[in-house]
Amino acid sequence: MVHQQTLDAPTVQTSEKTTCLLVEDNAFVSDAYQIVLEGGGFRVCQVAVSEPDAIDAILTRRPDVALVDIDIEGGDSLGVATALIAKDVPVAFVTGHPRSVLPAPFSTLPYLQKPVSRAALLALVHRLEEMRDR
């Protein structure tokens, strides 16, 4: 039974949700990630499908964290990861490639290999939040 007082209580909305940039050129994958992330209390500030889109998002939206696929429209995302690191934005790779394809400067970044579970994706973004807050 729900009490009327509970129904009338003001809803607390937080505008301080962690914003996440998704760099993913597969619409099915990015849609699924967005549903999972927003259901987990995060806000996807933009889905970027190419390096120019991602760089624009980094400069204009200033995400709190970023999830990046290695292969994106027009090439790879290593330039995107470099730009995120330069802006002190915690970044993780979520890709179908094994970790071994990452060059040395990126090989220690957080990483998930696709396919990923809801729990693993949310845990990864929480880990990025912790990195940001240090």
Side-chain angles (χ1 to χ4, degrees):
M1 179 175 173
V2 178
H3 298 284
Q4 186 62 36
Q5 183 179 25
T6 304
L7 293 174
D8 294 336
T11 303
V12 177
Q13 299 261 341
T14 176
S15 61
E16 298 299 319
K17 288 183 179 181
T18 296
T19 59
C20 182
L21 170 63
L22 292 178
V23 182
E24 171 63 64
D25 62 352
N26 183 313
F28 294 112
V29 173
S30 62
D31 288 350
Y33 289 179
Q34 187 164 2
I35 290 167
V36 168
L37 293 172
E38 291 179 350
F42 300 101
R43 185 171 66 81
V44 174
C45 64
Q46 185 169 337
V47 176
V49 299
S50 66
E51 184 173 356
D53 288 346
I55 298 298
D56 181 62
I58 294 164
L59 297 174
T60 60
R61 304 210 187 271
R62 184 75 170 129
D64 295 317
V65 300
L67 299 177
V68 178
D69 189 8
I70 292 174
D71 290 327
I72 56 175
E73 189 175 292
D76 66 45
S77 62
L78 300 180
V80 173
T82 300
L84 288 161
I85 292 166
K87 292 286 187 180
D88 292 322
V89 176
V91 58
F93 287 103
V94 183
T95 182
H97 292 289
R99 182 184 282 278
S100 61
V101 303
L102 291 171
F106 305 104
S107 61
T108 60
L109 291 176
Y111 164 91
L112 282 177
Q113 188 168 1
K114 295 176 186 175
V116 301
S117 70
R118 177 186 184 283
L121 192 65
L122 291 174
L124 179 62
V125 178
H126 283 293
R127 181 175 169 202
L128 293 175
E129 274 186 313
E130 290 171 5
M131 292 169 64
R132 181 198 68 203
D133 293 339
R134 288 184 194 157

